[in-house]
């Protein structure tokens, strides 16, 4: 097993640089990545900064590579690169191995999951985390309100203690293998009381006028409400059924697509107000800002934040680590300036820390049981 113990700080920095360069754009599952000697020399100079004539670089580099080889961190490939001191033509640098996860203790189980007790010790720690999170959620929600899949996932896995397994908790059900005992997805949906919320077909009037759909009609006003993610868009349409509102159109923005599609609004769409609701992270704020600039060019109404929906998100949401790198104070302030005054400070903190708030925290249950957010659609 590769061992980086007892290496100097510079040796450790060199190994990190080699892994980063060799693995860039490569498979994340490969055990090693190949790197040519030219790139190895370049990285060696940047890390060790050899002092010209006082140190013969090929000899020092070869000693370094042999030292790292002795620790099992790399393998030398090829015989000679033509130097007076023969260097390999390339190296194979081994990927850093993930530390073994410690098993989780068996929690007090709800009756529905009591059968897990006899099987717990045979589960992988990652699967134990799944069942721990689901069990904890069931203890706190014995009669759960129906919810779309992404919203339910956020409720279950959106706590900081589950972040290491589910960095994007609202997407956990999309990509995670739930192990041998939750493999029947239909049974799992029944267990968690999940409702179907498929993305809508894209038409000019996304949800309007369809009596069979059960959705609210979107033909009563002059407001275009754009929602970044389709689950929240679906939940909003469901919650508006039978409610007086001022929406002409309710639209799924399809993430960054809204920046370009806003220019497709025409006079026939009868839109006088555009409001937007999305995630609070770098891209989630850049989208409406970019769309607003495009709207201004097209002489369209300003893209405004749905103030009461953002009020709910900052109140209900639990931050999770984002995929985007932390921003500088200046960058964070520029993005947060689009939000209502009361949320700018908190948004700046999130952006500078690299954290995010997923809009799915404002889910069907909240939208169906509260009315304050109706001000955004009136």
């Amino acid at each position: 097993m590769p061992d980086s113990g007892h290496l100097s700080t510079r040796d450790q920095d060199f190994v990190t640089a080699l892994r980063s360069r060799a693995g860039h754009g490569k498979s994340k599952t490969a055990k090693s990545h190949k790197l040519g000697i030219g790139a190895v020399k370049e990285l060696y100079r940047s890390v060790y900064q050899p002092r010209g004539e006082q140190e013969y670089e090929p000899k020092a580099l070869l000693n370094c590579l042999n030292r790292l080889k002795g620790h099992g961190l790399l393998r030398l490939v090829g015989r000679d690169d033509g130097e007076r001191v023969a260097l390999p033509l390339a190296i194979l640098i081994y990927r850093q191995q993930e530390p073994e996860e410690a098993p989780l203790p068996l929690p007090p189980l709800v009756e529905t999951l009591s059968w897990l007790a006899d099987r717990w010790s045979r589960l992988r720690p990652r699967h134990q985390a799944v069942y721990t999170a689901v069990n904890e959620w069931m203890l706190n929600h014995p009669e759960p309100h129906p919810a779309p899949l992404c919203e339910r996932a956020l409720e279950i896995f959106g706590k900081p203690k589950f972040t290491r397994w589910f960095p994007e908790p609202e997407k956990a059900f999309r990509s995670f293998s739930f192990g041998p005992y939750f493999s029947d997805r239909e049974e799992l949906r029944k267990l968690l009381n999940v409702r179907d919320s498929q993305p809508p077909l894209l038409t000019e009037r996304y949800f309007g006028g369809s009596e069979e759909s059960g959705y609210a009609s979107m033909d009563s006003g002059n407001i275009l409400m754009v929602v970044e993610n389709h689950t929240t868009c679906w939940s909003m349409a469901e919650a508006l059924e039978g409610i007086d509102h001022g929406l002409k159109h309710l639209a799924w923005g399809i993430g960054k697509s809204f920046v370009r599609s806003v220019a497709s609004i025409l006079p026939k769409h009868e839109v006088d107000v555009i409001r937007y609701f999305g995630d609070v992270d770098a891209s989630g704020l850049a989208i409406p800002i970019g769309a607003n600039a495009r709207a201004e060019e097209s002489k369209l109404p300003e893209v405004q934040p749905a103030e009461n929906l953002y009020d709910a998100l900052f109140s209900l949401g639990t931050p999770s680590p984002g995929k985007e790198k932390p921003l500088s104070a200046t960058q964070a302030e520029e993005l947060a300036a689009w939000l209502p005054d009361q949320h700018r400070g908190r948004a700046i903190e999130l952006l500078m820390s690299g954290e995010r708030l997923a809009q799915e925290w404002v889910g069907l249950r909240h939208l169906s049981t509260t009315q304050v957010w109706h001000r955004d659609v009136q």
Side-chain angles (χ1 to χ4, degrees):
M1 179 178 293
D3 175 24
S4 59
H6 308 296
L7 290 179
S8 69
T9 300
R10 283 193 175 182
D11 281 353
Q12 293 178 33
D13 290 344
F14 187 39
V15 170
T16 300
L18 291 171
R19 283 173 171 158
S20 177
R21 176 73 67 85
H24 182 69
K26 305 285 183 62
S27 169
K28 303 299 183 185
T29 59
K31 293 182 178 180
S32 64
H33 294 118
K34 191 174 182 178
L35 193 63
I37 194 62
V40 173
K41 290 179 180 179
E42 177 189 335
L43 294 173
Y44 176 80
R45 292 169 191 145
S46 68
V47 172
Y48 294 91
Q49 299 179 351
R51 294 173 291 177
E53 296 179 356
Q54 297 182 32
E55 183 176 18
Y56 183 52
E57 181 183 289
K59 182 178 180 181
L61 174 55
L62 184 60
N63 289 338
C64 179
L65 293 177
N66 282 327
R67 187 165 62 247
L68 300 181
K69 177 185 174 183
H71 282 269
L73 297 168
L74 54 80
R75 183 160 64 88
L76 309 184
V77 179
R79 292 188 176 182
D80 187 357
D81 71 338
E83 294 278 1
R84 186 159 46 124
V85 173
L87 292 169
L89 295 177
I91 66 166
L92 283 178
I93 180 76
Y94 297 111
R95 291 180 61 244
Q96 184 171 9
Q97 294 187 355
E98 298 294 332
E100 292 187 7
E101 295 180 336
L104 275 65
L106 175 68
L109 296 170
V110 296
E111 183 176 356
T112 311
L113 300 180
S114 60
W115 48 268
L116 277 170
D118 295 336
R119 301 167 170 86
W120 194 261
S121 62
R122 300 196 297 271
L123 293 173
R124 295 167 52 195
R126 194 168 178 83
H127 289 148
Q128 290 176 339
V130 173
Y131 304 136
T132 298
V134 171
N135 181 75
E136 186 173 307
W137 173 81
M138 294 181 73
L139 282 170
N140 295 319
H141 300 82
E143 296 182 8
H145 189 279
L149 196 62
C150 287
E151 293 177 10
R152 183 66 82 226
L154 198 56
E155 289 180 4
I156 294 173
F157 304 111
K159 297 180 180 180
K161 62 183 175 182
F162 298 122
T163 295
R164 60 179 294 196
W165 292 286
F166 312 105
E168 292 184 282
E170 74 275 18
K171 299 178 181 178
F173 284 122
R174 297 187 197 173
S175 58
F176 189 74
S177 170
F178 280 81
Y181 311 125
F182 279 0
S183 57
D184 188 328
R185 285 304 182 100
E186 189 56 37
E187 287 299 316
L188 183 61
R189 294 170 70 86
K190 292 178 182 178
L191 180 69
L192 304 180
N193 198 8
V194 168
R195 291 191 58 181
D196 286 324
S197 58
Q198 302 301 333
L201 290 171
L202 303 183
T203 63
E204 287 183 349
R205 187 167 298 154
Y206 288 72
F207 293 105
S210 174
E211 295 180 0
E212 295 180 358
S213 70
Y215 295 141
S217 172
M218 299 297 159
D219 197 22
S220 59
N222 63 350
I223 300 172
L224 165 63
M225 173 66 78
V226 181
V227 184
E228 181 178 349
N229 300 326
H230 77 81
T231 297
T232 308
C233 190
W234 180 91
S235 293
M236 196 176 297
E238 282 282 302
L240 284 172
E241 187 175 2
I243 303 297
D244 290 332
H245 59 78
L247 293 187
K248 185 72 175 181
H249 305 276
L250 175 61
W252 169 32
I254 322 179
K256 296 179 182 178
S257 298
F258 179 52
V259 175
R260 295 182 61 84
S261 64
V262 67
S264 68
I265 299 172
L266 301 172
K268 69 176 182 178
H269 295 124
E270 301 175 349
V271 170
D272 296 324
V273 179
I274 304 174
R275 294 193 179 127
Y276 186 87
F277 179 52
D279 299 332
V280 176
D281 56 16
S283 58
L285 293 175
I287 290 168
I289 292 172
N292 195 33
R294 184 68 64 91
E296 186 177 354
E297 293 173 1
S298 303
K299 296 181 170 50
L300 294 169
E302 177 185 4
V303 178
Q304 306 170 0
E307 183 169 347
N308 296 282
L309 289 168
Y310 280 107
D311 283 347
L313 179 54
F314 278 94
S315 174
L316 299 171
T318 298
S320 58
K323 293 191 297 184
E324 299 159 319
K325 65 180 182 180
L327 301 184
S328 68
T330 300
Q331 292 171 322
E333 289 168 4
E334 289 177 355
L335 290 177
W338 178 78
L339 288 167
D341 291 347
Q342 66 268 31
H343 301 310
R344 291 174 185 171
R346 183 71 183 106
I348 290 170
E349 292 177 4
L350 290 170
L351 294 170
M352 291 180 64
S353 67
E355 294 183 307
R356 65 190 294 267
L357 284 175
Q359 69 174 141
E360 286 86 355
W361 283 113
V362 184
L364 180 60
R365 181 174 184 177
H366 175 82
L367 295 171
S368 300
T369 56
T370 58
Q371 298 181 358
V372 175
W373 71 276
H374 291 177
R375 299 170 191 164
D376 289 331
V377 296
Q378 293 172 345

